[in-house]
Amino acid sequence: MGQPVASKGRGATPTVGKAMLNKYARAFFTRVLTPFAAFLIRRGVSPDTVTLLGTAGVVAGALVFYPRGEFFWGTVVITLFVFSDLVDGNMARQLGRSSRWGAFLDSTLDRVADGAIFGGLALWYAGSGDDNVLCAVAIFCLASGQVVSYTKARGEAIGLPVAVNGLVERAERLVISLVAAGFAGLHKFGVPGIQYLLPIALWIVAVGSLVTLVQRVVTVRREAAEADEAAQESQGTEAAK
């Protein structure tokens, strides 16, 4: 985990668990999970290990169950493992550690989890789901989600604030997709018509992600122009002295 730093620590980026739980539920589960987090610390388990295992569980749930059309049980497994997002942050706080490495690992593995979820859905529609259009939509959701995250990271890397709240960011993408997938899985238990929730959700996520991408690109273009103009004015002022 490294030494404590003043930068944003583990859990600063919205994660699957944080997306699925509102602030009141998070506070409740934080209290519930604190003894478990303390137990893991006593056993010598690191927050990084919990992060890795949680991501592995999400990936397994998505790639084992979703391609077979087992949306309900796949979502159940994913939901169980998303609590690792709360546990690892709780452990880091108890240990007094807030590291750049922890934040980097969380963000990187978030992308892996996202890819597995939408990849699993794409595999279903490419196979037994037999719907090439929805397969393409799921792939678009996967790709656009990665690009949306990249635009913010890249903008911040070149010194821009990227001050925009997109229409459908990571939290919304995951909540919409996972809730719809879980309910769609109830079709196998005899609930009629509910399977159509998932295609609707994928289209919503796809369109929302496209809008969000455009919002971020426009924002970065504006902020970059303002920053360049300010730099030119500063250079002109210095030259006039």
Side-chain angles (χ1 to χ4, degrees), residues 35-154:
F36 180 62
F39 170 79
L40 293 178
I41 291 172
R42 291 195 299 271
R43 292 292 181 178
V45 179
S46 71
D48 289 350
T49 300
V50 173
T51 303
L52 289 166
L53 290 176
T55 301
V58 171
V59 170
L63 296 183
V64 172
F65 291 94
Y66 281 1
R68 295 158 47 194
E70 297 288 348
F71 298 126
F72 177 78
W73 293 114
T75 302
V76 169
V77 171
I78 291 171
T79 302
L80 290 175
F81 278 98
V82 299
F83 284 101
S84 66
D85 285 333
L86 301 178
V87 174
D88 62 8
N90 193 307
M91 293 172 68
R93 286 190 294 274
Q94 290 190 46
L95 291 169
R97 297 176 181 176
S98 180
S99 71
R100 291 182 177 90
W101 164 249
F104 169 81
L105 183 65
D106 274 353
S107 296
T108 300
L109 294 183
D110 283 347
R111 307 287 85 76
V112 174
D114 291 358
I117 290 169
F118 289 107
L121 294 174
L123 287 172
W124 160 251
Y125 287 116
S128 300
D130 193 23
D131 193 320
N132 289 336
V133 173
L134 287 176
C135 175
V137 172
I139 292 173
F140 180 82
C141 290
L142 189 163
S144 61
Q146 305 296 324
V147 176
V148 165
S149 296
Y150 174 79
T151 54
K152 185 173 181 65
R154 182 57 179 158

Side-chain angles (χ1 to χ4, degrees), residues 130-197:
D130 193 23
D131 193 320
N132 289 336
V133 173
L134 287 176
C135 175
V137 172
I139 292 173
F140 180 82
C141 290
L142 189 163
S144 61
Q146 305 296 324
V147 176
V148 165
S149 296
Y150 174 79
T151 54
K152 185 173 181 65
R154 182 57 179 158
E156 292 175 343
I158 60 176
L160 301 175
V162 195
V164 59
N165 291 321
L167 178 64
V168 176
E169 297 190 340
R170 184 169 188 263
E172 290 79 12
R173 289 197 305 272
L174 292 173
V175 169
I176 293 170
S177 302
L178 291 176
V179 170
F183 277 110
L186 295 177
H187 177 68
K188 289 198 171 185
F189 294 90
V191 180
I194 201 166
Q195 71 272 21
Y196 297 112
L197 282 178

